[in-house]
PDB file of all heavy atoms in Angstrom:
ATOM      1  N   LYS K  18      57.075 -28.643  14.966  1.00 88.00           N
ATOM      2  CA  LYS K  18      58.388 -28.697  14.326  1.00 88.00           C
ATOM      3  C   LYS K  18      59.280 -29.820  14.831  1.00 88.00           C
ATOM      4  O   LYS K  18      60.254 -30.181  14.166  1.00 88.00           O
ATOM      5  CB  LYS K  18      59.095 -27.346  14.500  1.00 88.00           C
ATOM      6  CG  LYS K  18      58.428 -26.210  13.747  1.00 88.00           C
ATOM      7  CD  LYS K  18      59.176 -24.903  13.952  1.00 88.00           C
ATOM      8  CE  LYS K  18      58.501 -23.762  13.196  1.00 88.00           C
ATOM      9  NZ  LYS K  18      59.207 -22.468  13.402  1.00 88.00           N
ATOM     10  N   SER K  19      58.983 -30.362  16.007  1.00 91.00           N
ATOM     11  CA  SER K  19      59.846 -31.412  16.553  1.00 91.00           C
ATOM     12  C   SER K  19      59.198 -32.794  16.468  1.00 91.00           C
ATOM     13  O   SER K  19      59.626 -33.727  17.139  1.00 91.00           O
ATOM     14  CB  SER K  19      60.208 -31.089  18.005  1.00 91.00           C
ATOM     15  OG  SER K  19      59.050 -30.898  18.794  1.00 91.00           O
ATOM     16  N   THR K  20      58.182 -32.938  15.637  1.00 94.00           N
ATOM     17  CA  THR K  20      57.515 -34.220  15.454  1.00 94.00           C
ATOM     18  C   THR K  20      58.364 -35.145  14.588  1.00 94.00           C
ATOM     19  O   THR K  20      58.933 -34.714  13.580  1.00 94.00           O
ATOM     20  CB  THR K  20      56.139 -34.015  14.776  1.00 94.00           C
ATOM     21  OG1 THR K  20      55.334 -33.176  15.597  1.00 94.00           O
ATOM     22  CG2 THR K  20      55.425 -35.332  14.573  1.00 94.00           C
ATOM     23  N   CYS K  21      58.440 -36.412  14.948  1.00 96.00           N
ATOM     24  CA  CYS K  21      59.068 -37.409  14.080  1.00 96.00           C
ATOM     25  C   CYS K  21      58.193 -37.632  12.849  1.00 96.00           C
ATOM     26  O   CYS K  21      56.975 -37.442  12.898  1.00 96.00           O
ATOM     27  CB  CYS K  21      59.236 -38.735  14.813  1.00 96.00           C
ATOM     28  SG  CYS K  21      60.518 -38.756  16.090  1.00 96.00           S
ATOM     29  N   TYR K  22      58.820 -38.045  11.760  1.00 97.00           N
ATOM     30  CA  TYR K  22      58.038 -38.342  10.564  1.00 97.00           C
ATOM     31  C   TYR K  22      58.729 -39.423   9.739  1.00 97.00           C
ATOM     32  O   TYR K  22      59.921 -39.683   9.867  1.00 97.00           O
ATOM     33  CB  TYR K  22      57.805 -37.074   9.727  1.00 97.00           C
ATOM     34  CG  TYR K  22      59.053 -36.342   9.281  1.00 97.00           C
ATOM     35  CD1 TYR K  22      59.776 -36.735   8.146  1.00 97.00           C
ATOM     36  CD2 TYR K  22      59.521 -35.233   9.988  1.00 97.00           C
ATOM     37  CE1 TYR K  22      60.915 -36.056   7.747  1.00 97.00           C
ATOM     38  CE2 TYR K  22      60.655 -34.544   9.597  1.00 97.00           C
ATOM     39  CZ  TYR K  22      61.341 -34.968   8.467  1.00 97.00           C
ATOM     40  OH  TYR K  22      62.477 -34.293   8.068  1.00 97.00           O
ATOM     41  N   PHE K  23      57.925 -40.050   8.882  1.00 97.00           N
ATOM     42  CA  PHE K  23      58.408 -41.044   7.913  1.00 97.00           C
ATOM     43  C   PHE K  23      58.401 -40.420   6.524  1.00 97.00           C
ATOM     44  O   PHE K  23      57.572 -39.538   6.253  1.00 97.00           O
ATOM     45  CB  PHE K  23      57.473 -42.261   7.905  1.00 97.00           C
ATOM     46  CG  PHE K  23      57.624 -43.205   9.060  1.00 97.00           C
ATOM     47  CD1 PHE K  23      56.656 -44.183   9.290  1.00 97.00           C
ATOM     48  CD2 PHE K  23      58.696 -43.140   9.923  1.00 97.00           C
ATOM     49  CE1 PHE K  23      56.766 -45.064  10.338  1.00 97.00           C
ATOM     50  CE2 PHE K  23      58.818 -44.021  10.976  1.00 97.00           C
ATOM     51  CZ  PHE K  23      57.846 -44.999  11.181  1.00 97.00           C
ATOM     52  N   PRO K  24      59.266 -40.869   5.606  1.00 97.00           N
ATOM     53  CA  PRO K  24      60.416 -41.718   5.890  1.00 97.00           C
ATOM     54  C   PRO K  24      61.566 -40.866   6.430  1.00 97.00           C
ATOM     55  O   PRO K  24      61.679 -39.690   6.094  1.00 97.00           O
ATOM     56  CB  PRO K  24      60.755 -42.303   4.522  1.00 97.00           C
ATOM     57  CG  PRO K  24      60.314 -41.247   3.554  1.00 97.00           C
ATOM     58  CD  PRO K  24      59.103 -40.600   4.163  1.00 97.00           C
ATOM     59  N   SER K  25      62.386 -41.456   7.250  1.00 97.00           N
ATOM     60  CA  SER K  25      63.595 -40.806   7.763  1.00 97.00           C
ATOM     61  C   SER K  25      64.578 -41.914   8.132  1.00 97.00           C
ATOM     62  O   SER K  25      64.309 -43.086   7.848  1.00 97.00           O
ATOM     63  CB  SER K  25      63.273 -39.887   8.954  1.00 97.00           C
ATOM     64  OG  SER K  25      62.485 -40.541   9.921  1.00 97.00           O
ATOM     65  N   ASP K  26      65.652 -41.583   8.759  1.00 97.00           N
ATOM     66  CA  ASP K  26      66.786 -42.489   8.993  1.00 97.00           C
ATOM     67  C   ASP K  26      66.369 -43.893   9.438  1.00 97.00           C
ATOM     68  O   ASP K  26      65.981 -44.107  10.590  1.00 97.00           O
ATOM     69  CB  ASP K  26      67.698 -41.857  10.046  1.00 97.00           C
ATOM     70  CG  ASP K  26      69.052 -42.551  10.141  1.00 97.00           C
ATOM     71  OD1 ASP K  26      69.120 -43.765   9.912  1.00 97.00           O
ATOM     72  OD2 ASP K  26      70.029 -41.866  10.465  1.00 97.00           O
ATOM     73  N   LYS K  27      66.462 -44.851   8.522  1.00 98.00           N
ATOM     74  CA  LYS K  27      66.027 -46.229   8.810  1.00 98.00           C
ATOM     75  C   LYS K  27      66.831 -46.857   9.945  1.00 98.00           C
ATOM     76  O   LYS K  27      66.288 -47.622  10.750  1.00 98.00           O
ATOM     77  CB  LYS K  27      66.145 -47.098   7.556  1.00 98.00           C
ATOM     78  CG  LYS K  27      64.984 -46.985   6.597  1.00 98.00           C
ATOM     79  CD  LYS K  27      65.073 -48.059   5.523  1.00 98.00           C
ATOM     80  CE  LYS K  27      63.831 -48.040   4.640  1.00 98.00           C
ATOM     81  NZ  LYS K  27      63.880 -49.122   3.619  1.00 98.00           N
ATOM     82  N   LYS K  28      68.107 -46.552   9.989  1.00 98.00           N
ATOM     83  CA  LYS K  28      68.951 -47.162  11.015  1.00 98.00           C
ATOM     84  C   LYS K  28      68.485 -46.766  12.412  1.00 98.00           C
ATOM     85  O   LYS K  28      68.403 -47.613  13.316  1.00 98.00           O
ATOM     86  CB  LYS K  28      70.412 -46.756  10.809  1.00 98.00           C
ATOM     87  CG  LYS K  28      71.357 -47.400  11.816  1.00 98.00           C
ATOM     88  CD  LYS K  28      72.804 -46.997  11.556  1.00 98.00           C
ATOM     89  CE  LYS K  28      73.734 -47.627  12.592  1.00 98.00           C
ATOM     90  NZ  LYS K  28      75.154 -47.215  12.360  1.00 98.00           N
ATOM     91  N   MET K  29      68.164 -45.501  12.608  1.00 98.00           N
ATOM     92  CA  MET K  29      67.720 -45.051  13.927  1.00 98.00           C
ATOM     93  C   MET K  29      66.364 -45.662  14.300  1.00 98.00           C
ATOM     94  O   MET K  29      66.139 -46.031  15.461  1.00 98.00           O
ATOM     95  CB  MET K  29      67.648 -43.524  13.963  1.00 98.00           C
ATOM     96  CG  MET K  29      68.995 -42.829  13.849  1.00 98.00           C
ATOM     97  SD  MET K  29      70.152 -43.283  15.163  1.00 98.00           S
ATOM     98  CE  MET K  29      69.433 -42.431  16.573  1.00 98.00           C
ATOM     99  N   TRP K  30      65.468 -45.769  13.327  1.00 98.00           N
ATOM    100  CA  TRP K  30      64.178 -46.403  13.611  1.00 98.00           C
ATOM    101  C   TRP K  30      64.366 -47.882  13.953  1.00 98.00           C
ATOM    102  O   TRP K  30      63.726 -48.403  14.880  1.00 98.00           O
ATOM    103  CB  TRP K  30      63.237 -46.249  12.415  1.00 98.00           C
ATOM    104  CG  TRP K  30      62.646 -44.882  12.275  1.00 98.00           C
ATOM    105  CD1 TRP K  30      62.895 -43.967  11.291  1.00 98.00           C
ATOM    106  CD2 TRP K  30      61.706 -44.271  13.160  1.00 98.00           C
ATOM    107  NE1 TRP K  30      62.173 -42.819  11.509  1.00 98.00           N
ATOM    108  CE2 TRP K  30      61.429 -42.977  12.653  1.00 98.00           C
ATOM    109  CE3 TRP K  30      61.065 -44.675  14.330  1.00 98.00           C
ATOM    110  CZ2 TRP K  30      60.538 -42.091  13.266  1.00 98.00           C
ATOM    111  CZ3 TRP K  30      60.176 -43.799  14.949  1.00 98.00           C
ATOM    112  CH2 TRP K  30      59.922 -42.528  14.421  1.00 98.00           C
ATOM    113  N   SER K  31      65.237 -48.562  13.223  1.00 98.00           N
ATOM    114  CA  SER K  31      65.499 -49.980  13.522  1.00 98.00           C
ATOM    115  C   SER K  31      66.121 -50.146  14.902  1.00 98.00           C
ATOM    116  O   SER K  31      65.785 -51.075  15.643  1.00 98.00           O
ATOM    117  CB  SER K  31      66.430 -50.578  12.455  1.00 98.00           C
ATOM    118  OG  SER K  31      65.801 -50.606  11.195  1.00 98.00           O
ATOM    119  N   ASN K  32      67.041 -49.240  15.249  1.00 98.00           N
ATOM    120  CA  ASN K  32      67.652 -49.292  16.582  1.00 98.00           C
ATOM    121  C   ASN K  32      66.587 -49.146  17.670  1.00 98.00           C
ATOM    122  O   ASN K  32      66.627 -49.836  18.693  1.00 98.00           O
ATOM    123  CB  ASN K  32      68.692 -48.181  16.729  1.00 98.00           C
ATOM    124  CG  ASN K  32      69.934 -48.431  15.904  1.00 98.00           C
ATOM    125  OD1 ASN K  32      70.143 -49.525  15.388  1.00 98.00           O
ATOM    126  ND2 ASN K  32      70.766 -47.405  15.739  1.00 98.00           N
ATOM    127  N   LEU K  33      65.638 -48.238  17.439  1.00 98.00           N
ATOM    128  CA  LEU K  33      64.564 -48.031  18.407  1.00 98.00           C
ATOM    129  C   LEU K  33      63.714 -49.287  18.559  1.00 98.00           C
ATOM    130  O   LEU K  33      63.427 -49.728  19.678  1.00 98.00           O
ATOM    131  CB  LEU K  33      63.695 -46.848  17.969  1.00 98.00           C
ATOM    132  CG  LEU K  33      62.443 -46.541  18.789  1.00 98.00           C
ATOM    133  CD1 LEU K  33      62.770 -46.320  20.259  1.00 98.00           C
ATOM    134  CD2 LEU K  33      61.727 -45.313  18.225  1.00 98.00           C
ATOM    135  N   CYS K  34      63.312 -49.883  17.434  1.00 98.00           N
ATOM    136  CA  CYS K  34      62.519 -51.123  17.483  1.00 98.00           C
ATOM    137  C   CYS K  34      63.274 -52.235  18.201  1.00 98.00           C
ATOM    138  O   CYS K  34      62.705 -52.955  19.030  1.00 98.00           O
ATOM    139  CB  CYS K  34      62.161 -51.581  16.066  1.00 98.00           C
ATOM    140  SG  CYS K  34      60.956 -50.561  15.233  1.00 98.00           S
ATOM    141  N   ASN K  35      64.550 -52.374  17.879  1.00 98.00           N
ATOM    142  CA  ASN K  35      65.342 -53.458  18.458  1.00 98.00           C
ATOM    143  C   ASN K  35      65.460 -53.323  19.973  1.00 98.00           C
ATOM    144  O   ASN K  35      65.396 -54.326  20.698  1.00 98.00           O
ATOM    145  CB  ASN K  35      66.736 -53.483  17.824  1.00 98.00           C
ATOM    146  CG  ASN K  35      66.709 -53.942  16.377  1.00 98.00           C
ATOM    147  OD1 ASN K  35      65.769 -54.617  15.958  1.00 98.00           O
ATOM    148  ND2 ASN K  35      67.715 -53.563  15.612  1.00 98.00           N
ATOM    149  N   VAL K  36      65.626 -52.101  20.459  1.00 98.00           N
ATOM    150  CA  VAL K  36      65.736 -51.868  21.899  1.00 98.00           C
ATOM    151  C   VAL K  36      64.436 -52.255  22.604  1.00 98.00           C
ATOM    152  O   VAL K  36      64.444 -52.930  23.646  1.00 98.00           O
ATOM    153  CB  VAL K  36      66.088 -50.388  22.172  1.00 98.00           C
ATOM    154  CG1 VAL K  36      65.777 -50.008  23.619  1.00 98.00           C
ATOM    155  CG2 VAL K  36      67.564 -50.142  21.894  1.00 98.00           C
ATOM    156  N   ILE K  37      63.315 -51.849  22.037  1.00 98.00           N
ATOM    157  CA  ILE K  37      62.018 -52.159  22.638  1.00 98.00           C
ATOM    158  C   ILE K  37      61.790 -53.664  22.688  1.00 98.00           C
ATOM    159  O   ILE K  37      61.400 -54.223  23.723  1.00 98.00           O
ATOM    160  CB  ILE K  37      60.878 -51.467  21.855  1.00 98.00           C
ATOM    161  CG1 ILE K  37      60.960 -49.946  22.035  1.00 98.00           C
ATOM    162  CG2 ILE K  37      59.514 -51.988  22.302  1.00 98.00           C
ATOM    163  CD1 ILE K  37      60.003 -49.166  21.139  1.00 98.00           C
ATOM    164  N   LYS K  38      62.064 -54.332  21.568  1.00 98.00           N
ATOM    165  CA  LYS K  38      61.773 -55.772  21.479  1.00 98.00           C
ATOM    166  C   LYS K  38      62.777 -56.600  22.277  1.00 98.00           C
ATOM    167  O   LYS K  38      62.417 -57.640  22.850  1.00 98.00           O
ATOM    168  CB  LYS K  38      61.742 -56.199  20.021  1.00 98.00           C
ATOM    169  CG  LYS K  38      60.559 -55.565  19.278  1.00 98.00           C
ATOM    170  CD  LYS K  38      60.209 -56.285  17.992  1.00 98.00           C
ATOM    171  CE  LYS K  38      61.068 -55.849  16.864  1.00 98.00           C
ATOM    172  NZ  LYS K  38      60.530 -56.358  15.560  1.00 98.00           N
ATOM    173  N   LYS K  39      64.010 -56.136  22.359  1.00 97.00           N
ATOM    174  CA  LYS K  39      65.005 -56.834  23.173  1.00 97.00           C
ATOM    175  C   LYS K  39      64.590 -56.848  24.640  1.00 97.00           C
ATOM    176  O   LYS K  39      64.829 -57.816  25.371  1.00 97.00           O
ATOM    177  CB  LYS K  39      66.376 -56.171  23.005  1.00 97.00           C
ATOM    178  CG  LYS K  39      67.496 -56.882  23.758  1.00 97.00           C
ATOM    179  CD  LYS K  39      68.834 -56.188  23.526  1.00 97.00           C
ATOM    180  CE  LYS K  39      69.949 -56.867  24.293  1.00 97.00           C
ATOM    181  NZ  LYS K  39      71.275 -56.191  24.088  1.00 97.00           N
ATOM    182  N   ASN K  40      63.945 -55.783  25.081  1.00 97.00           N
ATOM    183  CA  ASN K  40      63.473 -55.705  26.467  1.00 97.00           C
ATOM    184  C   ASN K  40      62.276 -56.599  26.739  1.00 97.00           C
ATOM    185  O   ASN K  40      61.975 -56.897  27.893  1.00 97.00           O
ATOM    186  CB  ASN K  40      63.112 -54.259  26.812  1.00 97.00           C
ATOM    187  CG  ASN K  40      64.311 -53.479  27.317  1.00 97.00           C
ATOM    188  OD1 ASN K  40      65.405 -54.013  27.447  1.00 97.00           O
ATOM    189  ND2 ASN K  40      64.112 -52.207  27.593  1.00 97.00           N
ATOM    190  N   GLY K  41      61.540 -56.975  25.692  1.00 97.00           N
ATOM    191  CA  GLY K  41      60.419 -57.893  25.895  1.00 97.00           C
ATOM    192  C   GLY K  41      59.057 -57.362  25.511  1.00 97.00           C
ATOM    193  O   GLY K  41      58.062 -58.091  25.573  1.00 97.00           O
ATOM    194  N   SER K  42      58.962 -56.081  25.111  1.00 98.00           N
ATOM    195  CA  SER K  42      57.690 -55.521  24.644  1.00 98.00           C
ATOM    196  C   SER K  42      57.560 -55.708  23.137  1.00 98.00           C
ATOM    197  O   SER K  42      58.548 -55.937  22.432  1.00 98.00           O
ATOM    198  CB  SER K  42      57.608 -54.022  24.945  1.00 98.00           C
ATOM    199  OG  SER K  42      57.698 -53.745  26.316  1.00 98.00           O
ATOM    200  N   LEU K  43      56.346 -55.561  22.628  1.00 98.00           N
ATOM    201  CA  LEU K  43      56.170 -55.372  21.200  1.00 98.00           C
ATOM    202  C   LEU K  43      56.443 -53.911  20.886  1.00 98.00           C
ATOM    203  O   LEU K  43      56.196 -53.023  21.710  1.00 98.00           O
ATOM    204  CB  LEU K  43      54.747 -55.728  20.763  1.00 98.00           C
ATOM    205  CG  LEU K  43      54.296 -57.189  20.893  1.00 98.00           C
ATOM    206  CD1 LEU K  43      52.939 -57.365  20.215  1.00 98.00           C
ATOM    207  CD2 LEU K  43      55.302 -58.153  20.315  1.00 98.00           C
ATOM    208  N   ALA K  44      56.960 -53.660  19.693  1.00 98.00           N
ATOM    209  CA  ALA K  44      57.236 -52.290  19.264  1.00 98.00           C
ATOM    210  C   ALA K  44      56.040 -51.756  18.493  1.00 98.00           C
ATOM    211  O   ALA K  44      55.676 -52.289  17.449  1.00 98.00           O
ATOM    212  CB  ALA K  44      58.495 -52.247  18.399  1.00 98.00           C
ATOM    213  N   GLY K  45      55.431 -50.702  19.025  1.00 98.00           N
ATOM    214  CA  GLY K  45      54.276 -50.101  18.377  1.00 98.00           C
ATOM    215  C   GLY K  45      54.577 -48.683  17.925  1.00 98.00           C
ATOM    216  O   GLY K  45      55.412 -47.997  18.519  1.00 98.00           O
ATOM    217  N   ILE K  46      53.892 -48.259  16.897  1.00 98.00           N
ATOM    218  CA  ILE K  46      54.081 -46.905  16.378  1.00 98.00           C
ATOM    219  C   ILE K  46      52.730 -46.285  16.068  1.00 98.00           C
ATOM    220  O   ILE K  46      51.873 -46.929  15.490  1.00 98.00           O
ATOM    221  CB  ILE K  46      54.975 -46.898  15.128  1.00 98.00           C
ATOM    222  CG1 ILE K  46      55.244 -45.481  14.612  1.00 98.00           C
ATOM    223  CG2 ILE K  46      54.400 -47.705  14.005  1.00 98.00           C
ATOM    224  CD1 ILE K  46      56.664 -45.103  14.613  1.00 98.00           C
ATOM    225  N   GLN K  47      52.550 -45.057  16.516  1.00 98.00           N
ATOM    226  CA  GLN K  47      51.333 -44.306  16.210  1.00 98.00           C
ATOM    227  C   GLN K  47      51.616 -43.406  15.012  1.00 98.00           C
ATOM    228  O   GLN K  47      52.500 -42.557  15.059  1.00 98.00           O
ATOM    229  CB  GLN K  47      50.909 -43.459  17.411  1.00 98.00           C
ATOM    230  CG  GLN K  47      49.616 -42.688  17.192  1.00 98.00           C
ATOM    231  CD  GLN K  47      49.364 -41.686  18.305  1.00 98.00           C
ATOM    232  OE1 GLN K  47      50.142 -40.770  18.524  1.00 98.00           O
ATOM    233  NE2 GLN K  47      48.266 -41.872  19.031  1.00 98.00           N
ATOM    234  N   ILE K  48      50.864 -43.610  13.926  1.00 98.00           N
ATOM    235  CA  ILE K  48      51.067 -42.848  12.699  1.00 98.00           C
ATOM    236  C   ILE K  48      49.940 -41.840  12.551  1.00 98.00           C
ATOM    237  O   ILE K  48      48.763 -42.180  12.669  1.00 98.00           O
ATOM    238  CB  ILE K  48      51.151 -43.777  11.475  1.00 98.00           C
ATOM    239  CG1 ILE K  48      52.344 -44.728  11.629  1.00 98.00           C
ATOM    240  CG2 ILE K  48      51.291 -42.976  10.196  1.00 98.00           C
ATOM    241  CD1 ILE K  48      52.499 -45.703  10.497  1.00 98.00           C
ATOM    242  N   ALA K  49      50.314 -40.583  12.279  1.00 97.00           N
ATOM    243  CA  ALA K  49      49.334 -39.496  12.302  1.00 97.00           C
ATOM    244  C   ALA K  49      49.482 -38.584  11.100  1.00 97.00           C
ATOM    245  O   ALA K  49      50.497 -38.590  10.401  1.00 97.00           O
ATOM    246  CB  ALA K  49      49.500 -38.682  13.591  1.00 97.00           C
ATOM    247  N   CYS K  50      48.431 -37.794  10.879  1.00 97.00           N
ATOM    248  CA  CYS K  50      48.438 -36.807   9.811  1.00 97.00           C
ATOM    249  C   CYS K  50      47.741 -35.547  10.286  1.00 97.00           C
ATOM    250  O   CYS K  50      46.566 -35.579  10.669  1.00 97.00           O
ATOM    251  CB  CYS K  50      47.719 -37.352   8.572  1.00 97.00           C
ATOM    252  SG  CYS K  50      47.422 -36.108   7.292  1.00 97.00           S
ATOM    253  N   ASN K  51      48.476 -34.432  10.276  1.00 94.00           N
ATOM    254  CA  ASN K  51      47.876 -33.133  10.556  1.00 94.00           C
ATOM    255  C   ASN K  51      47.864 -32.361   9.240  1.00 94.00           C
ATOM    256  O   ASN K  51      48.882 -31.865   8.786  1.00 94.00           O
ATOM    257  CB  ASN K  51      48.686 -32.378  11.611  1.00 94.00           C
ATOM    258  CG  ASN K  51      48.068 -31.021  11.927  1.00 94.00           C
ATOM    259  OD1 ASN K  51      46.853 -30.892  11.976  1.00 94.00           O
ATOM    260  ND2 ASN K  51      48.908 -30.022  12.132  1.00 94.00           N
ATOM    261  N   ASN K  52      46.705 -32.312   8.614  1.00 88.00           N
ATOM    262  CA  ASN K  52      46.604 -31.691   7.290  1.00 88.00           C
ATOM    263  C   ASN K  52      45.625 -30.529   7.321  1.00 88.00           C
ATOM    264  O   ASN K  52      44.677 -30.453   6.556  1.00 88.00           O
ATOM    265  CB  ASN K  52      46.147 -32.719   6.250  1.00 88.00           C
ATOM    266  CG  ASN K  52      46.292 -32.191   4.839  1.00 88.00           C
ATOM    267  OD1 ASN K  52      47.402 -31.881   4.418  1.00 88.00           O
ATOM    268  ND2 ASN K  52      45.195 -32.079   4.097  1.00 88.00           N
ATOM    269  N   SER K  53      45.827 -29.626   8.239  1.00 78.00           N
ATOM    270  CA  SER K  53      44.948 -28.470   8.366  1.00 78.00           C
ATOM    271  C   SER K  53      45.791 -27.214   8.495  1.00 78.00           C
ATOM    272  O   SER K  53      46.862 -27.230   9.114  1.00 78.00           O
ATOM    273  CB  SER K  53      44.043 -28.602   9.597  1.00 78.00           C
ATOM    274  OG  SER K  53      43.358 -27.407   9.863  1.00 78.00           O
ATOM    275  N   ALA K  54      45.301 -26.137   7.905  1.00 70.00           N
ATOM    276  CA  ALA K  54      46.009 -24.857   8.009  1.00 70.00           C
ATOM    277  C   ALA K  54      45.882 -24.257   9.398  1.00 70.00           C
ATOM    278  O   ALA K  54      46.619 -23.342   9.763  1.00 70.00           O
ATOM    279  CB  ALA K  54      45.456 -23.879   6.977  1.00 70.00           C
ATOM    280  N   ILE K  55      44.950 -24.792  10.202  1.00 72.00           N
ATOM    281  CA  ILE K  55      44.754 -24.309  11.566  1.00 72.00           C
ATOM    282  C   ILE K  55      45.727 -25.044  12.479  1.00 72.00           C
ATOM    283  O   ILE K  55      45.659 -26.266  12.618  1.00 72.00           O
ATOM    284  CB  ILE K  55      43.304 -24.535  12.031  1.00 72.00           C
ATOM    285  CG1 ILE K  55      42.334 -23.813  11.094  1.00 72.00           C
ATOM    286  CG2 ILE K  55      43.118 -24.051  13.466  1.00 72.00           C
ATOM    287  CD1 ILE K  55      40.877 -24.077  11.392  1.00 72.00           C
ATOM    288  N   SER K  56      46.641 -24.339  13.097  1.00 70.00           N
ATOM    289  CA  SER K  56      47.657 -24.977  13.941  1.00 70.00           C
ATOM    290  C   SER K  56      47.054 -25.422  15.267  1.00 70.00           C
ATOM    291  O   SER K  56      45.994 -24.954  15.678  1.00 70.00           O
ATOM    292  CB  SER K  56      48.815 -24.011  14.197  1.00 70.00           C
ATOM    293  OG  SER K  56      48.351 -22.849  14.862  1.00 70.00           O
ATOM    294  N   MET K  57      47.765 -26.344  15.928  1.00 67.00           N
ATOM    295  CA  MET K  57      47.329 -26.827  17.229  1.00 67.00           C
ATOM    296  C   MET K  57      47.424 -25.686  18.246  1.00 67.00           C
ATOM    297  O   MET K  57      48.465 -25.034  18.370  1.00 67.00           O
ATOM    298  CB  MET K  57      48.196 -28.001  17.691  1.00 67.00           C
ATOM    299  CG  MET K  57      48.086 -29.225  16.803  1.00 67.00           C
ATOM    300  SD  MET K  57      46.468 -29.995  16.913  1.00 67.00           S
ATOM    301  CE  MET K  57      46.717 -31.440  15.862  1.00 67.00           C
ATOM    302  N   GLN K  58      46.348 -25.442  18.953  1.00 66.00           N
ATOM    303  CA  GLN K  58      46.331 -24.336  19.912  1.00 66.00           C
ATOM    304  C   GLN K  58      47.150 -24.670  21.149  1.00 66.00           C
ATOM    305  O   GLN K  58      47.342 -25.833  21.487  1.00 66.00           O
ATOM    306  CB  GLN K  58      44.890 -24.021  20.327  1.00 66.00           C
ATOM    307  CG  GLN K  58      44.268 -25.086  21.219  1.00 66.00           C
ATOM    308  CD  GLN K  58      42.825 -24.781  21.566  1.00 66.00           C
ATOM    309  OE1 GLN K  58      42.092 -24.247  20.767  1.00 66.00           O
ATOM    310  NE2 GLN K  58      42.415 -25.130  22.778  1.00 66.00           N
ATOM    311  N   ARG K  59      47.615 -23.646  21.831  1.00 67.00           N
ATOM    312  CA  ARG K  59      48.407 -23.839  23.035  1.00 67.00           C
ATOM    313  C   ARG K  59      47.562 -23.780  24.305  1.00 67.00           C
ATOM    314  O   ARG K  59      47.952 -24.314  25.340  1.00 67.00           O
ATOM    315  CB  ARG K  59      49.522 -22.788  23.094  1.00 67.00           C
ATOM    316  CG  ARG K  59      50.516 -22.928  21.948  1.00 67.00           C
ATOM    317  CD  ARG K  59      51.711 -22.009  22.127  1.00 67.00           C
ATOM    318  NE  ARG K  59      52.593 -22.032  20.981  1.00 67.00           N
ATOM    319  CZ  ARG K  59      53.546 -22.945  20.780  1.00 67.00           C
ATOM    320  NH1 ARG K  59      53.720 -23.913  21.650  1.00 67.00           N
ATOM    321  NH2 ARG K  59      54.309 -22.896  19.699  1.00 67.00           N
ATOM    322  N   THR K  60      46.399 -23.137  24.245  1.00 70.00           N
ATOM    323  CA  THR K  60      45.542 -23.049  25.427  1.00 70.00           C
ATOM    324  C   THR K  60      44.801 -24.360  25.663  1.00 70.00           C
ATOM    325  O   THR K  60      44.600 -25.148  24.740  1.00 70.00           O
ATOM    326  CB  THR K  60      44.516 -21.911  25.265  1.00 70.00           C
ATOM    327  OG1 THR K  60      43.739 -22.145  24.084  1.00 70.00           O
ATOM    328  CG2 THR K  60      45.208 -20.573  25.147  1.00 70.00           C
ATOM    329  N   ILE K  61      44.377 -24.593  26.908  1.00 72.00           N
ATOM    330  CA  ILE K  61      43.664 -25.819  27.246  1.00 72.00           C
ATOM    331  C   ILE K  61      42.264 -25.832  26.626  1.00 72.00           C
ATOM    332  O   ILE K  61      41.826 -26.829  26.057  1.00 72.00           O
ATOM    333  CB  ILE K  61      43.559 -25.977  28.783  1.00 72.00           C
ATOM    334  CG1 ILE K  61      44.958 -26.085  29.405  1.00 72.00           C
ATOM    335  CG2 ILE K  61      42.736 -27.210  29.150  1.00 72.00           C
ATOM    336  CD1 ILE K  61      45.755 -27.288  28.949  1.00 72.00           C
ATOM    337  N   ILE K  62      41.555 -24.711  26.719  1.00 77.00           N
ATOM    338  CA  ILE K  62      40.205 -24.608  26.178  1.00 77.00           C
ATOM    339  C   ILE K  62      40.167 -23.515  25.108  1.00 77.00           C
ATOM    340  O   ILE K  62      40.720 -22.432  25.293  1.00 77.00           O
ATOM    341  CB  ILE K  62      39.183 -24.298  27.292  1.00 77.00           C
ATOM    342  CG1 ILE K  62      39.147 -25.458  28.298  1.00 77.00           C
ATOM    343  CG2 ILE K  62      37.788 -24.057  26.720  1.00 77.00           C
ATOM    344  CD1 ILE K  62      38.233 -25.224  29.480  1.00 77.00           C
TER     345      ILE K  62
END
């Protein structure tokens, strides 16, 4: 429930990119899809 997703507030995403790049790193984003009715388990095994 607390996962970020696209599309959403462009201004906040741009602010995030700008902060990263101003510091000297490249701004990277990991894009994912969870499309299963089976939820992520909480136990380790």
Side-chain angles (χ1 to χ4, degrees):
K18 293 180 180 179
S19 56
T20 300
C21 288
Y22 57 83
F23 283 167
S25 49
D26 193 328
K27 278 190 174 182
K28 182 179 179 181
M29 293 301 288
W30 284 112
S31 295
N32 289 348
L33 175 56
C34 289
N35 290 338
V36 162
I37 292 172
K38 293 199 277 192
K39 183 179 179 181
N40 273 358
S42 300
L43 295 188
I46 183 119
Q47 182 190 61
I48 299 179
C50 170
N51 180 38
N52 191 61
S53 170
I55 301 175
S56 60
M57 296 292 184
Q58 71 182 35
R59 296 188 186 276
T60 58
I61 298 298
I62 297 177

